[in-house]
């Protein structure tokens, strides 16, 4: 299963980005093959609609869960209808590598 | 009466939130909330005075999925598949999670930081300890 994590940088040492729509990078982690893919967020600087764009990107990679610091009001119904699970982590200091480790529980 | 009008009335007059808190819970601005609330009261009064029945239907609403809070890793997560029961935290795999009620005053710091002035009913944000 694929999990998307919002990241502030393109390395596993980067920390979790607390924003979903305007995060710097998306990390797509595959729990089966244990591979990671870093995708820069194209909608990062968008004036509006960054959230729905981000949802499109994540959904196109078939991610079933998203780990981020916060989800906007427009995002929750969208993700609910796509049956993508939201995981809110209120810990901005968490590294991407640590989150991946937690996912491998 | 629309669903959001019922919700506005419930938050304000049943759960006793102020307009500011209630608008945040409903995800609308404070002025919009007041408009919804005023419309709800108008309809209720109309039904009362004219002896009409009240039916609640329609409106722009979205039912949030169930949210949970994991005590082991501290994360919050929802359950998009309503038919499947959650058995473990999706992040750390622990079974130590409980139902998270959004807007429960115990869970909601926002609500705790707002106090109401008794004299005029105006709300004011509490200053933190240092002052």
């Amino acid at each position: 299963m694929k999990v998307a994590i919002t990241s502030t940088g393109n390395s596993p040492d980067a920390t979790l980005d607390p924003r979903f729509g305007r995060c710097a990078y998306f990390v797509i982690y595959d729990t089966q093959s244990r591979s990671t893919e870093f995708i820069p967020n194209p909608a990062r600087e968008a004036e509006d609609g960054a959230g729905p764009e981000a949802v499109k990107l994540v959904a196109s990679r078939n991610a079933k869960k998203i780990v981020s610091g916060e989800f906007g009001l427009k995002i929750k119904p969208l993700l609910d209808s796509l049956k993508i699970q939201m995981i809110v982590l209120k810990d901005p200091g968490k590294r991407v590598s640590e989150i991946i480790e937690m996912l491998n529980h | 009466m629309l669903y959001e009008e019922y919700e506005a009335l419930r938050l304000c007059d049943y759960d006793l939130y102020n307009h500011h808190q209630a608008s945040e819970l409903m995800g609308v601005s404070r002025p919009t909330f007041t408009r919804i609330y005023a419309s709800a009261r108008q309809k209720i009064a109309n039904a009362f005075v004219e002896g009409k029945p009240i039916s609640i239907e329609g409106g722009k609403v979205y039912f949030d999925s169930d949210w949970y809070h994991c005590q082991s890793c501290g994360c919050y997560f929802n359950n998009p598949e309503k038919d499947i029961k959650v058995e473990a935290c999706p992040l750390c795999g622990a079974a130590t999670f409980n139902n998270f009620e959004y807007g429960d005053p115990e869970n909601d710091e926002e609500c705790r930081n707002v106090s109401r002035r008794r004299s005029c009913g105006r709300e004011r944000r509490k200053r933190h300890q240092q002052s």
Side-chain angles (χ1 to χ4, degrees), chain B residues 6-26 30 33-34 37 41 101-116 121 123:
Chain B
Y6 159 78
E7 179 72 353
L9 203 74
R10 184 182 71 85
L11 289 172
C12 250
D13 294 334
Y14 183 78
D15 289 337
L16 302 178
Y17 286 109
N18 59 41
H19 285 204
H20 188 91
Q21 296 163 333
S23 69
E24 274 176 17
L25 290 173
M26 283 178 65
R30 216 271 309 137
F33 176 84
T34 305
Y37 180 70
R41 291 190 81 140
E101 215 32 71
Y102 190 76
D104 187 339
E106 264 178 47
N107 293 330
D108 205 343
E109 218 163 292
E110 266 300 299
C111 290
R112 250 182 287 149
N113 288 338
V114 177
S115 66
R116 200 189 277 249
E123 59 195 43

Side-chain angles (χ1 to χ4, degrees), chain A residues 65 67 71 73 76-77 79-80 83-90 99 102-105, chain B residues 27 62-65 67 73-82 89-93:
Chain A
K65 292 178 186 175
V67 185
F71 296 91
L73 280 169
K76 285 180 182 173
L79 289 176
D80 258 356
K83 301 218 185 265
I84 297 174
Q85 186 173 45
M86 293 171 261
I87 303 170
V88 178
L89 203 53
K90 299 268 182 208
I99 294 168
M102 284 165 90
L103 286 165
N104 287 331
H105 55 261
Chain B
Y62 147 67
F63 290 95
D64 201 355
S65 42
W67 281 83
C73 65
C75 75
Y76 299 89
F77 56 94
N78 76 332
N79 177 20
E81 304 268 3
K82 287 193 174 68
C89 168
L91 193 57
C92 65

Side-chain angles (χ1 to χ4, degrees), chain B residues 34-131:
Chain B
T34 305
R35 259 193 303 280
I36 297 170
Y37 180 70
S39 166
R41 291 190 81 140
Q42 159 97 60
K43 285 176 186 175
I44 296 269
N46 194 8
F48 240 80
V49 173
E50 297 182 18
K52 286 181 184 166
I54 299 169
S55 74
I56 304 167
E57 56 193 7
K60 281 188 206 165
V61 287
Y62 147 67
F63 290 95
D64 201 355
S65 42
D66 290 338
W67 281 83
Y68 301 90
H69 175 49
C70 174
Q71 272 142 5
S72 159
C73 65
C75 75
Y76 299 89
F77 56 94
N78 76 332
N79 177 20
E81 304 268 3
K82 287 193 174 68
D83 308 328
I84 303 168
K85 217 175 152 253
V86 188
E87 264 149 20
C89 168
L91 193 57
C92 65
T96 51
F97 58 84
N98 50 15
N99 247 321
F100 178 71
E101 215 32 71
Y102 190 76
D104 187 339
E106 264 178 47
N107 293 330
D108 205 343
E109 218 163 292
E110 266 300 299
C111 290
R112 250 182 287 149
N113 288 338
V114 177
S115 66
R116 200 189 277 249
R117 272 188 208 163
R118 208 169 284 168
S119 52
C120 57
R122 229 189 83 179
E123 59 195 43
R124 174 182 61 153
R125 267 172 204 279
K126 266 187 206 159
R127 295 239 174 91
H128 287 284
Q129 267 76 20
Q130 75 257 27
S131 57

